[in-house]
Amino acid sequence: MDDMAKRFFITQHPTFGSYANPIKSKIEKSPYFYWVKALTLNDDYVEYCANPSNNRFKTNDSIHQVYKDFGDVRYEGCVYLAFTQWWIEKIDEFDTRGTYLFAEPFTGTKVEIVTDGGDATNAANDESVLLIRIPKIINRKRIDEAIDRILASEMHFERGRKVRNPSRSNARYHLSKPVKVESLKEAFEVYELERDAKINGTKISNLKLAKAVGIEVQQKKTDEQAQDYSYQSELINTKVWRRKKLAKDAIANVVKGKFV
């Protein structure tokens, strides 16, 4: 594959260290791991994987499409090894499943003249490409001025550190906004701890969840507030509640082809 056809990810893709013995900390740095994890935690999707012809999902076009793209995500044993095997599965001559779903489409990175009608049509329909028509009969000054106006209107260049906004992605599946992977990690750990407690017929408080997961609150406060246990508890409760909501929303969204 030449440089013109390289794929890239707007959001951090997973690295593994070793496909046979993947490193947990590397995988957890990618939001895509939590996207697939959410599918494994969605009861409807797990049921669908067990029986795709289930009449209960007969009219659910979204889950049909997600299953067509993501496949059966059920697993036994190590979730990190299962995710690795899912990600690197070849689905065609060029792509693995992870790349196919989350990478940006094949596209050129050169500024060049378009000489083929088909290429011009594709460029006109591609939101990541700007196609400009320049009449050869006008002078260079007018051309430069027109191009400057077009670029000012159509292109947005960010100063300083390069920020990749997932909302600009043309991948088949992408995040709707940037998200901190640390928040996802905490959210899913909280969700699974609370789920397991319910399975065992017990309850676990938000404070215990926070302690188990390592959730802390860093916020400017007065000396009086710093000594107020109830104030600290309220802050932690709020943060744990937000993590619960993040996980629950993500798990509900994935069968609709969305995440966060």
Side-chain angles (χ1 to χ4, degrees):
M1 187 181 299
D2 61 28
D3 289 341
M4 290 287 290
K6 285 184 177 179
R7 309 291 295 276
F8 73 95
F9 297 81
I10 283 185
T11 301
Q12 175 62 51
H13 64 81
T15 56
F16 303 96
S18 164
Y19 291 151
N21 188 25
I23 299 172
K24 172 183 175 181
S25 59
K26 288 181 175 291
I27 292 175
E28 287 181 337
K29 290 180 180 179
S30 173
Y32 301 131
F33 166 69
Y34 297 99
W35 189 314
V36 178
K37 188 179 184 69
L39 281 172
T40 72
L41 295 170
N42 185 290
D43 292 337
D44 282 346
Y45 194 74
V46 171
E47 182 180 344
Y48 186 96
C49 289
N51 182 13
S53 61
N54 191 324
N55 283 333
R56 190 163 80 83
F57 305 108
K58 187 175 182 179
T59 60
N60 190 331
D61 293 337
S62 295
I63 201 169
H64 292 322
Q65 185 61 51
V66 171
Y67 182 77
K68 179 181 178 182
D69 290 334
F70 285 79
D72 189 348
V73 297
R74 294 175 298 164
Y75 69 95
E76 293 182 1
C78 176
V79 64
Y80 302 99
L81 180 58
F83 173 75
T84 301
Q85 292 171 343
W86 176 89
W87 183 275
I88 65 174
E89 179 189 359
K90 292 283 289 184
I91 63 167
D92 60 33
E93 183 181 354
F94 302 104
D95 283 327
T96 62
R97 189 178 294 277
T99 301
Y100 175 79
L101 295 178
F102 297 117
E104 298 304 301
F106 290 112
T107 185
T109 56
K110 284 176 59 179
V111 177
E112 60 183 345
I113 297 174
V114 178
T115 58
D116 180 80
D119 289 344
T121 300
N122 291 335
N125 292 328
D126 187 345
E127 293 184 2
S128 68
V129 174
L130 180 62
L131 184 67
I132 300 176
R133 181 178 64 86
I134 302 176
K136 293 181 178 180
I137 60 173
I138 62 177
N139 62 48
R140 174 64 182 269
K141 183 180 179 181
R142 287 181 59 193
I143 292 173
D144 289 343
E145 290 173 347
I147 290 177
D148 285 344
R149 287 196 302 272
I150 292 170
L151 292 180
S153 173
E154 299 295 330
M155 302 288 287
H156 303 282
F157 301 99
E158 296 166 342
R159 296 181 180 273
R161 182 173 61 88
K162 187 175 182 180
V163 178
R164 290 180 171 179
N165 189 334
S167 66
R168 302 177 187 173
S169 173
N170 291 307
R172 289 177 173 85
Y173 293 87
H174 58 83
L175 304 182
S176 60
K177 59 184 178 182
V179 62
K180 291 183 178 179
V181 72
E182 296 82 6
S183 298
L184 289 173
K185 185 176 187 297
E186 291 176 351
F188 279 86
E189 287 181 355
V190 164
Y191 178 88
E192 290 185 289
L193 283 171
E194 187 172 57
R195 179 203 60 182
D196 292 345
K198 288 180 179 178
I199 291 173
N200 293 326
T202 60
K203 291 185 178 180
I204 183 169
S205 70
N206 284 349
L207 295 181
K208 287 184 177 180
L209 285 169
K211 185 175 181 180
V213 173
I215 293 176
E216 297 178 349
V217 177
Q218 295 180 348
Q219 185 171 329
K220 292 183 179 180
K221 46 189 177 290
T222 66
D223 291 340
E224 182 179 345
Q225 288 173 328
Q227 301 299 321
D228 186 346
Y229 178 77
S230 63
Y231 175 76
Q232 294 298 309
S233 297
E234 182 181 348
L235 291 179
I236 291 174
N237 271 315
T238 299
K239 191 167 185 178
V240 171
W241 178 85
R242 287 174 178 167
R243 295 295 182 266
K244 288 181 181 180
K245 185 177 187 303
L246 175 60
K248 289 177 180 178
D249 287 349
I251 292 167
N253 283 339
V254 283
V255 291
K256 304 171 188 175
K258 301 181 292 183
F259 185 51
V260 296

